[in-house]
């Protein structure tokens, strides 16, 4: 692979630097008085343009620990899928196989 | 006492807000609860250098002004003047983490729209220095249009500066020269607009971006590693339990000795009779049975507070999330449930760290299923009496194996009950795990001591008052009416407690319990281990606690059948009878309905488990 690519955060391999291009979690609220996923993500610093890198994953396919502009945030892969990222540098290797 | 100025501390979680509050108020703080919600209310009063009084309230930390959790509702309502619990503050100190300026600034901008006079405390300047971040506070102040003071709350640095700023005769002067904080004329900005503005200001006020905290990164490489991480966690837990059980032994003996001394003093100084019995068997025995757990609870809380302050607690939740998901809970339920192995009371109290109200409720409901320390005396007694001390294989004893099985059944039941509850009564969207893993920090002794004192006070007040009351009640039930002169049975047989117990036998006979057990279950309401002493009373044994326990084992061997003994063990896995747990559950859920539910479901499970054990064993032998 020679160019940067766009992919959902849960498919970004560990230790590959990327930039957030879009957050599309939808604004529907799961229950009254609860914030939508998008609000929660925005509140924790996930925003378009922020630098992001997956650092760790919990055991047994657990949550991801991602560095967003210098802060380490834990979130589950299912929620991470709402964050679209673009890799900063081209990287080799298959994303699916990672 | 009317304060001259009401100051509110606000800020994101992890901004060091509570440390700043501790540094400002020291031990002149009051921690209570908001009525109706289980949100801690922390207030304190300080004297400004000129003698005027400033009241400070530490509002719960929040990431935004959109109320999400009960904590955030309190903060939101107090700030917008909607609260019936809290007076609207005269001014607000917004605590901002210097190492994470951009995110915290978003909150400042949001706050500004409410129109309060705001003082920005640029906190954690020491951590900023450590990470080689260089900021320009004057530029920040200029860009925000707000006064800014730099602080290092954990070292009290800057705190004096903050207090001195309040020295001016007219507090409105503080904000002189700054643009009016109110700019509600502008149309409401979206979250994204606020973020953009926050980013712009952060960039303008940052001289040097800094480097990532290398130590945090290096520690995380180990403790969040999929293999090494869980092993490290296991080690931490092992140390924690070792401490709870081993280190607490000596202080527990002192307390026990102290209570015995007091009892002997009362025996010799108060004439024999009702008053003596009330003080010795009612008050002292009752209070003793509660405060004996204080050392264990304090050690447990010391660990929890250190784990929290150091930043590791969030990592433990991260590691355990996958496992806890299987029970429909999220990782943050792990520590409360773990604490419940010592005692369900601190476990239920620790559930406050769970944001989602439904998750919190589920965790509270299953906490009593974790085998607490109070069950150990009961388990030890029955196992010693009925389980042969033989090797199963390779040095593993049958007695130890039974003990292990009792623990495991408790854990598995808790996971099943939690999963069932999440599908029925506490149904809702699966809880999210979305949290910051904060940078590591060395916990401060002052914060630790203040936190421990607070926990000890809560425990003694909450558990102590209800236990004292119920022990006196149970003492009354066990002492009246007195036995007839020609009594052939032990005294308790003729008392109200004995009558209740014998009436309960109708309920308990089908699961193999005799009247002696039924009677012992009544005083056992106070605390589970009291049942051992009560059995001693029923079988008319006297002497020291250890002597009763060892002779009781011999007595029980002939008095009980094996099915009855095993049924009694099975009962105790679920045993609903612990008034202090129920009292704390009532307090923390703020609902009689849930408290009654907790008691009822535990009772039903205990009954079914004991019955099934009794009849299965009976059929097998």
């Amino acid at each position: 692979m020679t160019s940067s690519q766009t992919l959902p955060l849960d498919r970004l391999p560990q230790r590959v630097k990327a930039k957030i291009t879009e957050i599309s979690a939808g604004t529907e609220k799961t229950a009254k008085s609860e914030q939508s996923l998008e609000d929660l993500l925005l509140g924790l610093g996930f925003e378009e343009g922020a630098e992001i890198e997956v650092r760790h994953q919990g055991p047994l396919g657990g949550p991801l620990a991602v560095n967003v502009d210098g802060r380490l945030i834990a979130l589950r892969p299912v929620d991470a899928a709402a964050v679209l990222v673009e890799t900063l540098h081209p990287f080799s290797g298959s994303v699916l196989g990672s | 006492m009317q304060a001259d100025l009401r100051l509110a501390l606000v800020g994101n979680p992890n901004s060091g807000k509570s440390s700043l509050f501790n540094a400002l108020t020291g031990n002149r703080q009051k921690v209570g609860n908001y009525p109706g919600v289980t949100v801690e209310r922390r207030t304190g009063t300080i004297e400004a250098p000129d003698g005027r009084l400033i009241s400070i309230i530490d509002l719960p930390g929040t990431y935004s002004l959109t109320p999400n959790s009960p904590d955030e509702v309190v903060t939101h309502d107090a700030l917008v003047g909607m609260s019936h619990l809290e007076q609207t503050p005269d001014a607000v100190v917004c605590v901002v983490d210097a190492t994470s300026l951009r995110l915290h600034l978003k909150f400042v901008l949001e706050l500004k729209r409410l129109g309060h006079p705001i003082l920005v405390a640029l906190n954690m300047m020491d951590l900023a220095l450590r990470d080689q971040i260089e900021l320009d506070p004057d530029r920040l102040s200029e860009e925000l249009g707000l006064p800014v003071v730099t602080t290092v709350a954990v070292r009290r640095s800057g705190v004096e500066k903050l207090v001195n700023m309040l020295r001016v005769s007219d507090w409105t002067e503080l904000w002189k020269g700054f643009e009016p904080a109110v700019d509600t004329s502008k149309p409401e900005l979206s979250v994204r607009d606020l973020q953009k503005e926050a980013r712009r200001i952060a960039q303008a006020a940052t001289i040097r971006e800094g480097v990532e905290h290398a130590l945090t990164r290096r520690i995380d490489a180990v403790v969040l590693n999929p293999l090494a991480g869980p092993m490290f966690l296991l080690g931490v837990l092992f140390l924690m339990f070792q401490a709870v059980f081993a280190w607490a032994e000596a202080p527990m003996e002192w307390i026990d000795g102290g209570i015995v001394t007091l009892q002997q003093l009362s025996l010799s100084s108060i004439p024999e009779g009702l008053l003596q019995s009330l003080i010795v068997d009612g008050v002292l025995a009752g209070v003793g049975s509660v405060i004996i757990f204080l050392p264990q609870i304090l050690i447990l809380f010391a660990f929890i507070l250190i784990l929290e302050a150091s930043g590791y607690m969030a990592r433990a939740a991260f590691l355990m999330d996958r496992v806890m998901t299987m029970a429909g809970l999220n990782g943050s339920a792990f520590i409360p449930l773990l604490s419940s192995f010592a005692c369900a009371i601190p476990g239920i109290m620790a559930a406050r760290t769970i944001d989602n109200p439904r998750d919190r409720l589920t965790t509270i409901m299953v906490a009593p299923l974790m085998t607490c320390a109070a069950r150990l005396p009961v388990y030890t007694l029955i196992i010693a009496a009925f389980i042969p001390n033989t090797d199963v294989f390779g040095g593993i004893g049958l007695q130890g194996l039974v003990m292990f099985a009792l623990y495991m059944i408790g854990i598995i039941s808790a996971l099943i009950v939690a999963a069932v509850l999440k599908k029925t009564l506490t149904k809702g969207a699966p809880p999210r795990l979305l949290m910051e893993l904060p940078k590591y920090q060395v916990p401060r002794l002052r914060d630790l001591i203040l936190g421990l004192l607070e926990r000890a006070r809560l425990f003694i007040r909450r558990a102590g008052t209800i236990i004292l009351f119920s022990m006196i009640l149970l003492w009354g039930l066990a002492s009246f009416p007195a036995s007839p002169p020609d009594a052939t049975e032990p005294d308790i047989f003729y008392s109200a407690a004995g009558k209740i117990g014998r009436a309960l036998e109708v309920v308990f006979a089908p699961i193999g319990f005799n009247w002696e057990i039924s009677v012992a279950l009544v005083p056992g309401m106070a605390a589970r281990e009291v049942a051992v002493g009560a059995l001693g009373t029923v079988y008319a044994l006297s002497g020291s606690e250890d002597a009763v326990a060892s002779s009781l084992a011999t007595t029980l061997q002939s008095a009980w059948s094996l099915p009855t003994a095993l049924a009694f063990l099975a009962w105790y896995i679920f045993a609903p009878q612990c008034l202090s747990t129920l009292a704390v559950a009532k307090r923390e859920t703020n609902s009689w309905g849930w408290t009654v539910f907790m008691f009822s479901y535990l009772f039903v499970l205990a009954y079914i488990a004991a019955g099934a054990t009794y009849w299965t064993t009976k059929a097998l032998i």
Side-chain angles (χ1 to χ4, degrees):
Chain A
M1 242 169 278
T2 51
S3 67
S4 62
Q5 48 177 295
T6 303
L7 68 171
L9 178 60
D10 60 321
R11 305 242 310 265
L12 181 70
Q14 281 187 26
R15 286 186 195 80
V16 171
K17 286 200 165 64
K19 237 181 174 66
I20 297 177
T21 55
E22 198 186 331
I23 292 158
S24 57
T27 42
E28 97 254 31
K29 300 189 176 192
T30 45
K32 228 174 80 182
S33 86
E34 272 176 38
Q35 279 178 297
S36 68
L37 177 59
E38 185 162 318
D39 286 343
L40 287 168
L41 287 171
L42 290 172
L44 283 167
F46 287 83
E47 53 178 86
E48 283 86 356
E51 267 189 43
I52 193 162
E53 183 188 341
V54 179
R55 286 280 171 79
H56 313 273
Q57 178 159 26
L60 313 167
L64 305 171
V66 296
N67 187 305
V68 187
D69 271 357
R71 288 227 284 197
L72 200 59
I73 307 289
L75 79 172
R76 294 196 180 135
V78 60
D79 295 327
V83 180
L84 289 182
V85 300
E86 187 185 47
T87 54
L88 288 188
H89 312 287
F91 65 95
S92 54
S94 157
V95 174
L96 288 172
S98 66
Chain B
M1 196 162 51
Q2 189 63 44
D4 299 299
L5 178 76
R6 287 190 308 272
L7 211 58
L9 283 186
V10 295
N12 282 189
N14 303 320
S15 61
K17 191 169 61 66
S18 294
S19 287
L20 184 64
F21 178 75
N22 285 343
L24 278 169
T25 60
N27 51 9
R28 287 155 300 170
Q29 53 176 273
K30 265 169 60 186
V31 184
N33 244 308
Y34 286 99
V37 283
T38 46
V39 176
E40 264 178 20
R41 180 179 190 273
R42 294 152 58 84
T43 52
T45 306
I46 59 167
E47 213 179 287
D50 57 4
R52 284 174 303 172
L53 292 176
I54 305 170
S55 80
I56 302 178
I57 169 141
D58 183 16
L59 288 173
T62 173
Y63 284 109
S64 75
L65 284 176
T66 321
N68 185 23
S69 66
D71 287 30
E72 295 180 1
V73 172
V74 168
T75 302
H76 173 262
D77 289 1
L79 289 174
V80 300
M82 259 168 55
S83 178
H84 52 283
L85 306 170
E86 206 63 73
Q87 281 182 292
T88 314
D90 299 319
V92 173
V93 174
C94 187
V95 188
V96 166
D97 174 1
T99 65
S100 197
L101 195 56
R102 181 174 56 76
L103 261 150
H104 289 254
L105 283 184
K106 197 202 89 197
F107 182 70
V108 179
L109 293 173
E110 216 178 328
L111 195 66
K112 237 176 104 176
R113 303 186 54 79
L114 295 178
H116 296 289
I118 301 170
L119 193 63
V120 175
L122 194 55
N123 197 25
M124 308 228 210
M125 286 305 278
D126 55 335
L127 294 191
L129 198 69
R130 181 186 77 178
D131 296 353
Q132 297 170 35
I133 297 170
E134 220 176 303
L135 300 174
D136 181 350
D138 294 334
R139 183 71 196 276
L140 183 65
S141 168
E142 193 182 303
E143 289 286 346
L144 281 172
L146 297 171
V148 172
V149 56
T150 55
T151 53
V152 181
V154 290
R155 275 191 221 129
R156 301 181 73 116
S157 143
V159 171
E160 235 137 82
K161 219 174 355 171
L162 209 160
V163 176
N164 274 329
M165 281 181 85
L166 303 168
R167 192 198 283 269
V168 288
S169 57
D170 180 4
W171 277 307
T172 51
E173 269 180 34
L174 265 176
W175 286 276
K176 214 173 235 173
F178 291 103
E179 64 178 83
V182 201
D183 56 350
T184 38
S185 57
K186 283 185 200 162
E188 192 161 332
L189 294 166
S190 73
V191 184
R192 284 187 165 85
D193 292 333
L194 284 174
Q195 283 186 329
K196 234 175 162 176
E197 178 69 358
R199 178 172 285 253
R200 190 189 63 77
I201 297 177
Q203 259 163 12
T206 304
I207 301 165
R208 237 179 89 98
E209 285 268 7
V211 293
E212 200 186 337
H213 184 215
L215 188 64
T216 290
R217 196 169 177 172
R218 250 179 281 154
I219 297 174
D220 275 343
V222 178
V223 306
L224 293 185
N225 179 292
L227 270 177
M231 272 159 63
F232 179 78
L233 177 60
L234 206 67
V236 170
L237 299 183
F238 180 78
L239 184 70
M240 185 160 136
F241 275 90
Q242 190 60 31
V244 165
F245 289 106
W247 302 352
E249 214 169 293
M252 284 172 89
E253 268 165 32
W254 302 334
I255 292 176
D256 197 36
I259 294 285
V260 170
T261 313
L262 281 178
Q263 283 176 325
Q264 279 160 351
L265 253 169
S266 320
L267 280 176
S268 56
S269 59
I270 305 171
E272 202 179 324
L274 272 183
L275 183 67
Q276 190 199 58
S277 167
L278 170 67
I279 292 192
V280 173
D281 302 326
V283 178
L284 287 174
V287 174
S289 70
V290 179
I291 59 166
I292 191 91
F293 288 108
L294 196 57
Q296 286 191 337
I297 286 175
L298 286 184
I299 292 176
L300 193 69
F301 267 123
F303 266 88
I304 292 179
L305 288 170
I306 291 171
L307 290 183
E308 237 162 33
S310 65
Y312 183 70
M313 188 68 100
R315 270 106 178 151
F318 171 85
L319 290 171
M320 291 306 294
D321 185 62
R322 192 73 195 87
V323 177
M324 300 306 287
T325 316
M326 293 175 195
L329 293 168
N330 80 27
S332 37
F334 178 64
I335 294 292
L337 289 182
L338 192 79
S339 314
S340 305
F341 280 110
C343 175
I345 295 168
I348 289 171
M349 279 159 63
R352 286 187 174 191
T353 52
I354 304 171
D355 293 331
N356 184 311
R358 285 188 313 260
D359 280 7
R360 184 161 160 237
L361 194 59
T362 315
T363 310
I364 291 174
M365 285 299 127
V366 302
L369 288 175
M370 300 294 150
T371 304
C372 66
R375 285 175 174 99
L376 275 175
V378 180
Y379 285 176
T380 317
L381 171 71
I382 306 295
I383 287 178
F386 289 93
I387 308 294
N389 189 12
T390 49
D391 263 15
V392 183
F393 59 82
I396 298 173
L398 186 60
Q399 291 189 332
L401 211 58
V402 170
M403 186 70 98
F404 180 73
L406 291 170
Y407 270 85
M408 283 315 290
I409 297 169
I411 296 170
I412 294 165
S413 311
L415 295 181
I416 295 173
V417 171
V420 171
L421 279 177
K422 287 297 293 181
K423 287 207 167 60
T424 53
L425 292 174
T426 53
K427 196 175 170 146
R432 286 204 173 96
L433 180 90
L434 210 61
M435 59 178 183
E436 186 181 351
L437 304 177
K439 292 186 180 82
Y440 290 105
Q441 247 180 309
V442 178
R444 297 289 154 163
L445 195 61
R446 183 186 44 215
D447 292 345
L448 179 69
I449 289 171
L450 283 173
L452 272 183
L453 283 177
E454 181 47 33
R455 294 309 196 287
R457 201 176 61 81
L458 275 177
F459 172 75
I460 291 174
R461 213 188 49 202
R462 276 185 204 164
T465 46
I466 184 116
I467 278 280
L468 184 61
F469 174 76
S470 54
M471 276 310 276
I472 292 173
L473 185 76
L474 288 169
W475 168 83
L477 287 175
S479 312
F480 299 102
S483 52
D486 54 341
T488 49
E489 304 280 353
D491 289 351
I492 196 169
F493 183 86
Y494 302 96
S495 68
K499 292 201 178 79
I500 296 171
R502 280 179 290 146
L504 284 176
E505 202 194 343
V506 184
V507 181
F508 289 118
I511 58 169
F513 288 8
N514 49 28
W515 76 263
E516 287 94 338
I517 298 182
S518 309
V519 171
L521 288 181
V522 178
M525 279 301 293
R528 293 182 177 94
E529 84 282 9
V530 172
V532 174
L535 278 173
T537 316
V538 177
Y539 285 106
L541 296 166
S542 55
S544 77
E545 212 174 294
D546 294 340
V548 169
S550 66
S551 56
L552 191 55
T554 330
T555 313
L556 292 185
Q557 275 169 358
S558 52
W560 292 9
S561 67
L562 181 65
T564 294
L566 293 181
F568 191 66
L569 280 181
W571 170 272
Y572 258 87
I573 297 174
F574 304 98
Q577 71 271 30
C578 174
L579 281 172
S580 0
T581 302
L582 294 171
V584 172
K586 158 70 182 69
R587 173 85 214 193
E588 295 289 301
T589 59
N590 198 33
S591 144
W592 277 111
W594 280 108
T595 313
V596 170
F597 172 79
M598 181 193 261
F599 178 82
S600 316
Y601 102 80
L602 287 172
F603 187 92
V604 169
L605 283 185
Y607 196 85
I608 293 174
T613 310
Y614 180 70
W615 289 104
T616 316
T617 326
K618 218 174 151 69
L620 289 176
I621 57 172

